[in-house]
Amino acid sequence: RGDIRATLPDSRAVALRVETEYPWRGRIRVRVEETDGSEWALDLRLPGWCTELSVSVNGDAGAEHALVDGYITVRRAWMTGDTVELDLSMKPVLVEAHPRVDPTRGSVAIQRGPLVYCLEAVDQEPSVDLLDVRLDAEEPLTAVWESNLLGGVMAIEANGYVADVGCWGDQLYRLYKAGTAEQTSAVTLRAVPYYAWANRGAGAMRVWIPVAAGDGKKAEG
């Protein structure tokens, strides 16, 4: 929660109270605490990552508003107690880099709202090596609130696979043969916000996760 006091260009004083659980939840509630009943514009920032949203004023989802230069503008004669609710969709998504970014080609990262996520070894099954994981980009991502994890975070669960690279033995290179793929086993991967990594001891971490190829899934053992 936060309180804002400001002076408009014409010297009128206004005060607002903002309540939100951002960045974990996308609902932001703005209540007018002080105004003189005249008209002025309230501008609410629309983040670049948000593609779905809803706006209501005093519970009216059809209240007039405009989207201008990345801001949601609500202009009206405000009264003390008027409340605006902005709900930003925070569905977990996968993002990819330009194909010319060679190190991330064929890989994706997990993002929810403004936060980028990562996989840490400590959150996976003991047998999982992060070098061998593949993410199933066709399966949905699930957000799970973990109040006892890292001070309280929204974790993301994803379906993926772990490749069995035992057939390589000690070889670093081998002749390529089309249609071959390592055997894989299904696994649930858990991601945490990138900002919170390295707080539970030394361990492997990765942000960019290779996407499971179609033939890799068919080779599942």
Side-chain angles (χ1 to χ4, degrees), residues 192-212:
V192 297
Y194 174 73
Y195 78 81
W197 79 282
N199 281 289
R200 293 169 289 170
M205 182 278 289
R206 74 180 310 160
V207 172
W208 293 97
I209 312 163
V211 172

Side-chain angles (χ1 to χ4, degrees), residues 105-123:
R105 188 178 296 137
S107 298
V108 293
I110 298 171
Q111 181 174 339
R112 181 179 183 272
L115 300 181
V116 173
Y117 280 68
C118 69
L119 301 180
E120 278 199 277
V122 67
D123 295 310

Side-chain angles (χ1 to χ4, degrees), residues 14-119:
V14 297
L16 306 172
R17 170 159 292 182
V18 182
E19 297 176 339
T20 182
E21 294 180 65
Y22 191 86
W24 307 122
R25 292 176 175 82
R27 178 163 294 181
I28 298 99
R29 186 171 184 265
V30 182
R31 185 178 188 275
V32 178
E33 296 289 302
E34 181 184 327
T35 186
D36 62 2
S38 58
E39 182 178 299
W40 47 275
L42 175 64
D43 294 329
L44 304 173
R45 178 65 177 158
L46 178 61
W49 52 262
C50 182
T51 58
E52 298 179 23
L53 72 149
S54 64
V55 182
S56 67
V57 179
N58 297 333
D60 178 11
E64 185 176 350
H65 62 276
L67 178 59
V68 181
D69 296 331
Y71 285 85
I72 300 161
T73 299
V74 182
R75 177 177 287 278
R76 57 183 280 138
W78 296 97
M79 303 297 293
T80 299
D82 283 347
T83 301
V84 178
E85 285 195 354
L86 172 62
D87 201 347
L88 307 175
S89 174
M90 284 195 172
K91 180 181 178 181
V93 296
L94 300 176
V95 296
E96 62 180 349
H98 191 286
R100 288 186 178 178
V101 182
D102 187 66
T104 62
R105 188 178 296 137
S107 298
V108 293
I110 298 171
Q111 181 174 339
R112 181 179 183 272
L115 300 181
V116 173
Y117 280 68
C118 69
L119 301 180

